[in-house]
Amino acid sequence: MPTDFKPRGTSSFDQESGVHIPLPRILPHTFQDGREGVEYQFSIRKGDERIDGLGVFGTEGVTEASGQREWVFTIDLSSESALRSMLRSKESIGSTDDDITFLTALAKGLVNVFAGQDDNSDNLSYVAFTSIEALSALGIPVPASAQVMAQGTIVLAELHVPAHRV
């Protein structure tokens, strides 16, 4: 069965499998080069049962355009270990998607957990990305439709949450 995670409150939900991903635990992280970042600890659940999980790193930063601030949060799925962990979830979820389609669907599920936010005073963006190098190392072809960015980065999923002004 194909996997399609849709936002549902503060989680994302795949109707076919009954699997949901709640908001992750988010911890501060310092990269080896000294940059500050975050660690996301995602849980993949079916009902009340945890069937899998995923721990990945990312960054956060703020930009400003036309007097409007936007926070940009990345979810880095560009390591072979992150992709392998995601692919292990494929069986738990019961997906029949090919590998790149499943990776994209799960990445969409990861960013969609943030869609239900309604208390943010700034715009928010969430971007889950991987790399050509990581996909190639696992023998996964890059889709012809993929938009390849600088240094071989490929955006798998992104979400924009507009500011909620009170």
Side-chain angles (χ1 to χ4, degrees), residues 68-95:
Q68 179 67 44
R69 287 191 332 172
E70 179 173 39
W71 286 89
V72 179
F73 302 91
T74 66
I75 301 172
D76 186 348
L77 306 172
S78 65
S79 71
E80 290 176 50
S81 61
L83 294 179
R84 276 193 193 97
S85 183
M86 291 173 73
L87 290 171
R88 278 193 297 273
S89 300
K90 184 176 170 181
E91 186 176 326
S92 303
I93 292 172
S95 176

Side-chain angles (χ1 to χ4, degrees), residues 61 68 101-102 141:
Q68 179 67 44
T101 302
F102 177 76

Side-chain angles (χ1 to χ4, degrees), residues 42 75 106-115 126-128 157-159:
F42 290 96
I75 301 172
L106 186 53
K108 181 179 168 188
L110 300 179
V111 298
N112 277 345
V113 303
F114 301 103
Y126 295 87
V127 180
E158 58 188 321
L159 170 76

Side-chain angles (χ1 to χ4, degrees), residues 30 33 59 94 125 136-137 141:
T30 303
D33 63 5
T59 61
S125 285
S136 297

